[in-house]
Amino acid sequence: MSESRASGCRSKACVLREYRQLRGKPCVPEHLLLRDALYLLQGISGRYIQFSQSEEDNSVIFVEEPDCCIPSPTKALIHRLAEVGYLYARVELYVSERENTVGVGMIEQSLCHHLQAQLTEYYRLIAVLESQMALQSVGSKPEDIGIPSSSPDVEVRTGLTLRRLDVWFNEWRLRMRMMSVCVEGARDAHGGALVNLIHSYTDNGDPFVRKFTDQLLEEVSKPFFATLHKWLFSGELYDPFGEFFVAADPAMTHINYVYPYPLANGANQQAGDGGFNGLAVDTDDITGQEDGLKLWEKKYQFQKDMLPTFVGETFGHKIFATGKSLNFIRYSCHDSDWVVTQEKMNTTGGTLRYSDIAGLERSIDIAYQIASYRLFEVFLDKFKLLDHLTALKNYMMLGHGDFVDQLMDALGPSLSKPANALFRHNLTTTLESAIRSSNAQNDPADVLRRLDARMLEYSHGEIGWDIFTLEYKVDPPIDTVLNSASMEKYLKIFKHLWQLKRIECVLNKSWLRMAIGSRTFLPTYWFQEFGLELHKVRLVIAEMIHFVRQMQAYCHLEVIECSWKTLTDFLMKKEGGLDALIEAHRTYLNKLEKKILLLSPKAGKEENILNHVKEVFSVILQYLDATDNFYNHCLSECSRRDQQMDMTRGVYTKVNVTTDNLSGFTGRLREYSSLFTEKTQSIVAHLLAHPDLDCRFLGIRLSFTDFYKVKKDPNK
């Protein structure tokens, strides 16, 4: 059986060998190809096997001599080995190029360092294989040529062949492929984007590829985590090559805070280098200066494209907010206890690494909570933010009732004069008198010195009521929350509430004069003649008082107090960081502005009901002026008739001659009364169609029992 098998069942290799021997063209000896293969693995062309000289062609050229050939299976095997050599040359070229390039980022430097370590291990394997080949050629033992009997890199075996060489480099083929892919991606990626690119290769089903990529990413991400640690726990950004996902604006580096007022501890400090900085605030021109909010928003920017995906956008924003908050605490708030805060935050013992993502997320959460809480403490305790917000509520939104009454009574006569007849020093003196004569004197001195009276720019024909305003001055770092845009809104709200308070005062005075003065100064026998018209006047004034009182109750109780409760509840939680604090105050102020000024978006355009309210105010003032004229006419007419009666009794006194008749006064009163009703009906109609529920309820209260709706019906 064995003889027949030897004669009739020869292997294909034996048949091929006999065929080549008959043709007289033997194969190239394997030890020569093995030598060239070792050259190929180092990216060097050999005698029989060479790399293509074309940069676009990555093929291998076989140089066959006339008297010998290279079998096709051997060529396929050499092609596999040549791939490793080609990838090695590609990686080695990238590392050498980056070593000689100026301005290479730290993450890319770390990548090159890890690649170089891999290439060094690769060199060691090549050296061991070359030594084994030399051992085979001289027929000596490994110890004779300086190779340990058991090499740590490769098991030295006798009989080195191309097939065994391919088996030993099978793992390196996968390594070189991964390193080559990283090298190609690194040419177009930078910083965090490069880390992101490498991290994307970890989503691979091959355990070897995933393990190798994890090891590579562990080394490459070390500069990223070093920068992250410094930013997260110290508020310092050390990123000379712009590789981090937080970028600093160099234009903001040398702007310093100048505090116009001493801090709570009595020190007048300035911000240090590298931190959040501000400008001196000239509160006489509050809109013309950079405030703390603009610096807070512009100093550092979040770069989403540089954020590694293993961090996540949510945690990225937390890291960004934590570093900004800690930097703000150190350099803008001059918090001497920031080191204690830093120690509380750094619970990881100073180690942040890629292999511990769960620990990284836990550290980010803890640092964010501690930094946010400390920032709220600094604002509320050191800089008394809540006191300033309360002062704005009490003074700019007329929360101090007795102070407002005192100021209104003292300023009323002056504000009725032309605007060019007012002087600021008189206004400030009156303001100080109103403070001393009311409970406002019990407010903190730091609050009272920030309160001031000023005049807005005026044009010809305006009076003091049109240009007077109160002003509350703030300085860094409080102006980060109470910025110039916010203070402008406070001024707008004050102007409306101040006009509303003015209308209330003149209505009250007119009501007292008509209700009490008419019965006191008009004789009973003449009162019966004028009493009906006076009663109609009192009804209209009562209607106007109802309108004003409902507007005031809506503004102060339903808008200001409810919004204030929401804001103070947020402040007491001390959560969310400075961005959340700024947003909470902005939401609070926007709500006040929209509801108090009755702003209503309609059909893509903003229809301001406040314009109709201002027209009603103007009509009320005109009606009250006509009422005063009517009342004075009644007194004059009664006096004239009394004098005529005295003449019939022989008592002669000077007779007052009146040129105006009663119908002229009553006609103007009816005209203004009808105009008031018409304007009020328009306001109620707009309010009932308002998208805001509180505004709709205001419309219902203004037209209680559908009073204005009935008047609008022509059949009534």
Side-chain angles (χ1 to χ4, degrees):
M1 182 69 180
S2 59
E3 294 178 357
S4 62
R5 185 175 183 179
S7 60
C9 299
R10 292 176 299 171
S11 65
K12 292 183 179 181
C14 294
V15 174
L16 183 62
R17 189 181 305 110
E18 290 178 359
Y19 172 76
R20 287 171 178 166
Q21 288 176 356
L22 291 174
R23 292 188 60 187
K25 198 172 184 180
C27 298
V28 178
E30 186 174 6
H31 71 276
L32 298 179
L33 295 177
L34 189 62
R35 181 193 59 193
D36 281 7
L38 289 177
Y39 289 153
L40 289 177
L41 290 172
Q42 301 175 62
I44 305 172
S45 297
R47 176 181 175 183
Y48 299 99
I49 313 166
Q50 299 177 357
F51 285 110
S52 174
Q53 300 298 324
S54 175
E55 296 182 357
E56 299 179 357
D57 186 8
N58 302 326
S59 61
V60 175
I61 300 174
F62 293 92
V63 181
E64 298 183 4
E65 296 182 355
D67 56 345
C68 61
C69 66
I70 302 176
S72 296
T74 304
K75 289 182 179 180
L77 192 61
I78 290 174
H79 271 292
R80 288 170 53 82
L81 293 173
E83 178 191 0
V84 181
Y86 170 74
L87 296 176
Y88 156 78
R90 190 187 226 179
V91 174
E92 196 274 336
L93 177 63
Y94 171 80
V95 173
S96 60
E97 285 179 351
R98 305 316 285 171
E99 286 179 351
N100 300 323
T101 304
V102 179
V104 178
M106 292 186 294
I107 291 179
E108 198 168 358
Q109 291 180 31
S110 181
L111 173 63
C112 291
H113 173 74
H114 183 74
L115 294 178
Q116 185 62 56
Q118 292 291 318
L119 294 181
T120 301
E121 185 179 348
Y122 182 80
Y123 297 152
R124 188 178 297 113
L125 174 60
I126 295 292
V128 170
L129 293 175
E130 288 180 343
S131 300
Q132 185 175 352
M133 185 175 177
L135 177 64
Q136 290 181 197
S137 63
V138 298
S140 54
K141 297 180 179 180
E143 293 85 350
D144 296 337
I145 57 175
I147 302 177
S149 58
S150 58
S151 173
D153 301 295
V154 63
E155 182 182 357
V156 180
R157 298 176 182 175
T158 59
L160 181 62
T161 63
L162 288 174
R163 189 169 297 279
R164 287 183 178 178
L165 194 64
D166 178 61
V167 172
W168 284 339
F169 278 90
N170 188 44
E171 178 180 323
W172 273 105
R173 183 177 295 106
L174 296 177
R175 287 196 195 184
M176 288 296 179
R177 285 175 181 174
M178 289 305 305
M179 288 191 288
S180 176
V181 169
C182 293
V183 164
E184 288 303 310
R187 297 184 186 277
D188 300 323
H190 176 70
L194 176 58
V195 176
N196 224 8
L197 175 68
I198 300 175
H199 176 71
S200 65
Y201 301 143
T202 59
D203 297 330
N204 195 296
D206 190 334
F208 174 80
V209 174
R210 188 167 59 251
K211 180 180 178 181
F212 177 80
T213 309
D214 286 340
Q215 293 175 350
L216 174 61
L217 196 56
E218 181 75 24
E219 295 296 325
V220 171
S221 62
K222 284 182 179 179
F224 169 81
F225 282 104
T227 306
L228 173 62
H229 187 278
K230 198 171 185 64
W231 172 256
L232 188 63
F233 299 122
S234 301
E236 296 283 358
L237 180 61
Y238 179 73
D239 186 25
F241 301 102
E243 301 174 290
F244 201 51
F245 63 89
V246 178
D249 186 353
M252 298 288 181
T253 303
H254 303 293
I255 305 175
N256 295 320
Y257 265 134
V258 179
Y259 291 92
Y261 304 114
L263 298 176
N265 57 6
N268 195 10
Q269 307 177 43
Q270 293 185 358
D273 295 336
F276 272 93
N277 304 311
L279 292 173
V281 177
D282 182 7
T283 49
D284 289 336
D285 186 15
I286 202 167
T287 62
Q289 297 289 346
E290 290 277 357
D291 53 32
L293 176 62
K294 294 180 181 178
L295 294 167
W296 166 262
E297 294 175 343
K298 293 180 180 179
K299 178 67 178 181
Y300 296 107
Q301 299 295 326
F302 183 84
Q303 300 183 112
K304 184 178 178 180
D305 57 331
M306 301 293 285
L307 177 67
T309 54
F310 61 79
V311 175
E313 188 171 354
T314 301
F315 283 102
H317 282 289
K318 283 188 176 182
I319 295 170
F320 179 63
T322 302
K324 282 179 64 177
S325 298
L326 192 57
N327 188 288
F328 190 87
I329 290 172
R330 291 181 62 184
Y331 294 107
S332 297
C333 301
H334 306 286
D335 181 23
S336 58
D337 296 331
W338 78 270
V339 178
V340 179
T341 304
Q342 182 187 33
E343 293 176 354
K344 293 179 181 178
M345 293 166 59
N346 192 2
T347 58
T348 62
T351 56
L352 296 176
R353 56 185 183 273
Y354 172 75
S355 58
D356 187 15
I357 298 298
L360 171 64
E361 294 177 352
R362 184 169 57 253
S363 300
I364 293 171
D365 280 331
I366 294 174
Y368 176 73
Q369 294 173 5
I370 294 176
S372 300
Y373 187 84
R374 180 56 187 166
L375 187 62
F376 272 87
E377 283 187 333
V378 170
F379 265 92
L380 295 178
D381 298 339
K382 182 177 180 179
F383 294 101
K384 309 296 182 184
L385 175 62
L386 189 56
D387 289 353
H388 297 307
L389 292 172
T390 304
L392 288 168
K393 175 176 174 287
N394 289 336
Y395 295 106
M396 302 300 293
M397 291 183 282
L398 310 186
H400 267 329
D402 57 339
F403 163 78
V404 176
D405 291 336
Q406 292 288 340
L407 186 63
M408 184 71 68
D409 292 340
L411 283 178
S414 300
L415 297 182
S416 299
K417 298 178 181 179
N420 56 8
L422 295 179
F423 298 97
R424 184 171 179 178
H425 65 275
N426 292 333
L427 299 179
T428 55
T429 302
T430 306
L431 174 63
E432 293 175 359
S433 300
I435 292 175
R436 287 194 299 267
S437 58
S438 65
N439 286 329
Q441 61 182 325
N442 299 322
D443 286 347
D446 181 61
V447 168
L448 295 178
R449 66 178 173 80
R450 297 173 184 271
L451 189 64
D452 194 12
R454 59 178 295 194
M455 296 183 296
L456 303 175
E457 294 184 3
Y458 59 88
S459 57
H460 180 71
E462 291 185 325
I463 62 175
W465 290 107
D466 300 321
I467 64 167
F468 171 78
T469 185
L470 289 181
E471 180 186 42
Y472 192 81
K473 302 177 181 180
V474 295
D475 51 56
I478 295 299
D479 65 344
T480 308
V481 179
L482 303 177
N483 53 81
S484 59
S486 298
M487 300 310 294
E488 288 179 0
K489 292 183 179 180
Y490 277 114
L491 291 178
K492 291 170 61 178
I493 294 173
F494 170 81
K495 186 175 181 180
H496 173 66
L497 295 177
W498 181 251
Q499 293 294 334
L500 192 61
K501 185 67 176 178
R502 173 199 177 189
I503 299 299
E504 181 201 14
C505 290
V506 295
L507 280 172
N508 290 339
K509 291 179 181 178
S510 181
W511 170 263
L512 289 175
R513 186 179 187 189
M514 298 300 297
I516 300 176
S518 58
R519 293 184 179 273
T520 303
F521 299 104
L522 292 180
T524 304
Y525 45 85
W526 298 127
F527 182 79
Q528 295 178 355
E529 180 178 350
F530 300 107
L532 180 60
E533 294 297 333
L534 291 173
H535 179 67
K536 292 180 180 179
V537 169
R538 289 199 300 271
L539 289 178
V540 176
I541 293 179
E543 190 177 334
M544 294 177 175
I545 290 176
H546 168 77
F547 175 86
V548 172
R549 293 287 173 81
Q550 292 301 320
M551 292 290 295
Q552 287 182 320
Y554 163 76
C555 293
H556 289 283
L557 299 180
E558 299 187 24
V559 178
I560 296 176
E561 291 301 331
C562 293
S563 302
W564 176 256
K565 179 67 167 54
T566 304
L567 179 62
T568 53
D569 288 346
F570 171 80
L571 292 175
M572 292 302 102
K573 291 180 181 178
K574 299 181 179 180
E575 297 177 354
L578 186 55
D579 283 319
L581 175 58
I582 294 171
E583 184 60 29
H585 177 259
R586 183 184 289 120
T587 302
Y588 159 77
L589 200 52
N590 289 341
K591 185 177 181 180
L592 294 183
E593 182 186 27
K594 291 180 180 179
K595 287 180 175 288
I596 291 178
L597 302 183
L598 303 175
L599 303 180
S600 173
K602 187 175 182 181
K605 298 181 180 179
E606 190 177 78
E607 180 182 348
N608 195 346
I609 307 177
L610 184 62
N611 293 331
H612 300 287
V613 176
K614 290 179 179 179
E615 292 175 358
V616 169
F617 289 169
S618 178
V619 171
I620 291 175
L621 292 176
Q622 291 173 338
Y623 182 83
L624 294 179
D625 186 59
T627 300
D628 290 339
N629 294 334
F630 170 69
Y631 179 75
N632 293 333
H633 172 77
C634 291
L635 292 180
S636 300
E637 184 65 17
C638 290
S639 176
R640 185 184 67 81
R641 294 184 182 185
D642 285 342
Q643 291 170 357
Q644 288 179 347
M645 293 176 61
D646 289 342
M647 291 175 61
T648 60
R649 297 195 303 268
V651 178
Y652 295 93
T653 58
K654 184 178 179 181
V655 179
N656 295 324
V657 180
T658 58
T659 57
D660 296 329
N661 55 14
L662 184 62
S663 61
F665 291 103
T666 56
R668 284 193 294 272
L669 290 175
R670 284 193 295 270
E671 177 186 354
Y672 292 134
S673 175
S674 300
L675 189 58
F676 170 78
T677 301
E678 179 184 345
K679 296 293 184 183
T680 307
Q681 287 173 351
S682 176
I683 292 174
V684 170
H686 283 98
L687 288 175
L688 292 177
H690 200 282
D692 187 84
L693 184 62
D694 291 335
C695 293
R696 293 202 295 271
F697 281 142
L698 173 62
I700 294 173
R701 289 197 303 273
L702 288 177
S703 181
F704 63 100
T705 66
D706 289 338
F707 179 75
Y708 292 104
K709 187 175 182 180
V710 173
K711 278 195 171 186
K712 204 173 182 181
D713 191 346
N715 297 323
K716 298 294 182 180

